[in-house]
Amino acid sequence: RALLSVYDKTGLTDFARALHDSGYALVSTGGTQAAIANAGIPVQHVEDLTGFPEILDGRVKSLHPAIYGGILARRDIAEHNAQLAEHGIGTIDVVASNLYPFVDTVSRPDATLIDALENIDIGGPTMIRGAAKNFPHVIVVVDPADYGWIAERLAAGEDLTQDERRSLARKAFQHVALYDTTISQYLGDRLSTLRYGENPHQQAGLYAAPLSSGGIVRAKQLHGIDMSYTNYLDADAAWRVVADFDQPAATVIKHTNPCGLAVHDDQPTAYRHAFEGDSVSAYGGIVAFNSHAHRCDRAGNARRPVRHIIAPAYEEAALDVLRRRRRTRLLEVQPASGPQEGLDVRLVSGGALVQQTDDIAESPADWKVVTEREPTDAELADLTFAWKAAKHIKSNTIVLAKDNTLVGMGAGQPNRVVSVHLALRIAEDKAKGSVLASDAFFPFADNIEMAAAGGITAIAEPGGSIRDDEVIAAANEHNIAMLFTGTRHFRH
């Protein structure tokens, strides 16, 4: 016997017909039963087994011992079989089910709480979990993409292997787990629909990790129009950058990369330096502070167009100034905490990549001076700043810094020499007397030649190239101090 109860009816009738042709008696519920019957395939209604009709507008239809006894009974336990016989319950050997469209429902701008609650499936998850728990005896199918190969195997009179059944059960539990997590997030105000994704034709949503607090996901928006997908990406990049510094820091972000960054004990000065590091790119950027936003009129925030501003708190005087800009979003953010913090998760086709975040503790005292000239105290301070900035910029990363300010950067290029060229072009005259940090080693001395021509006086890089000797020799030739950090900071 096979029990079919699905919301997504893709491939349903073909699968039902294949099961019928393979000798399975079909049992179904509601709309699924109607779809199968309309296709001319013999199918019983669940109430034919339970002896009890669907009630409460279909809220209760499959929750009955006649159904779950047939799903959960272990065929290898004599007592289970005896109890089934005693109560006239037949086994159910295939369960195909998928769940109400909760995410699609709550993603609609006009969705109400009642809409959401009516799309919380009860019988479906129970049915799926019961079948998945008993997978050695029950084939559980939640993905229509699996109908074809399962039908072929059964039509050929072949049973599924235990590994195949286990794989289907894993997929089933994952299906229910994601569904329940989404509902939990919605009820906890941890799910919201965004204006759009990266482009207006893409839908997007914002989800908060369970048991987490703080971070951009839980930012309090104090002013401005609603956020979109890219707004949140940029805001998160900005917050992560400034949160990495102990001194008061200000950054300007464009397309998740810092185009301006500075630290200074005086916050307005830090912001002014950050903006002036690359004022062309900073136009219309995202600004973040790691300390209370204050005296924004003196820092120039009221006159410089920015898309949104992020800070842990705002003084009222700052808010009075900033709220005059209708399109500038103001976000109040607290440090993130929770079991997922310290992990970097990226979705890939078919799954996800997970790694520890790049927050290794480093000390310039551990770096190795490899050139004849050692850096001055001022150069070492700027190298320390540049090295921390480099890990927040996309590879291949080159950072130019002077006076604790980012004056030029190259990012996302297929080779490092192009990144050096871009950093120098952005910095222009500010490159003279600045220091350079590279997120990975220099493979050739031509990078050093270009840096020297631009006026770079000191370099920090991981080292480890087979041509390190050539690179060091080029640095010595141009009287550049070079330090090997021994650590790489790729950010793809």
Side-chain angles (χ1 to χ4, degrees), residues 3 5-10 15 94-99 124-125 127-129 131-132 139-147 149-150 167-177:
L3 174 59
S5 180
V6 298
Y7 179 83
D8 180 359
K9 295 177 176 55
T10 303
F15 188 50
V94 175
V95 170
S97 183
N98 51 60
L99 307 175
M127 191 183 301
I128 291 169
R129 286 177 60 84
I139 298 170
V140 58
V141 194
V142 297
D143 185 354
D146 290 318
Y147 290 167
W149 71 268
I150 294 173
S167 178
L168 290 170
R170 179 202 59 77
K171 184 182 286 190
F173 278 120
Q174 183 179 55
H175 183 62
V176 175

Side-chain angles (χ1 to χ4, degrees), residues 149-170:
W149 71 268
I150 294 173
E152 289 179 6
R153 295 285 293 280
L154 298 180
E158 301 175 4
D159 195 5
L160 272 61
T161 67
Q162 286 298 298
D163 283 346
E164 289 169 337
R165 288 169 173 265
R166 184 188 187 98
S167 178
L168 290 170
R170 179 202 59 77

Side-chain angles (χ1 to χ4, degrees), residues 105-111 193:
T105 298
V106 299
S107 294
R108 297 199 312 262
D110 59 345
T193 302

Side-chain angles (χ1 to χ4, degrees), residues 229-244:
Y229 179 91
T230 50
N231 295 149
Y232 272 106
L233 282 180
D234 285 333
D236 184 59
W239 176 248
R240 286 175 181 270
V241 171
V242 293
D244 204 21

Side-chain angles (χ1 to χ4, degrees), residues 463-492:
S465 168
I466 59 174
R467 296 183 176 85
D468 274 349
D469 289 344
E470 297 175 24
V471 171
I472 294 168
N476 282 328
E477 179 182 349
H478 294 283
N479 196 35
I480 294 174
M482 179 178 285
L483 294 88
F484 282 0
T485 66
T487 305
R488 188 181 74 188
H489 285 300
F490 275 153
R491 182 171 178 78
H492 286 88

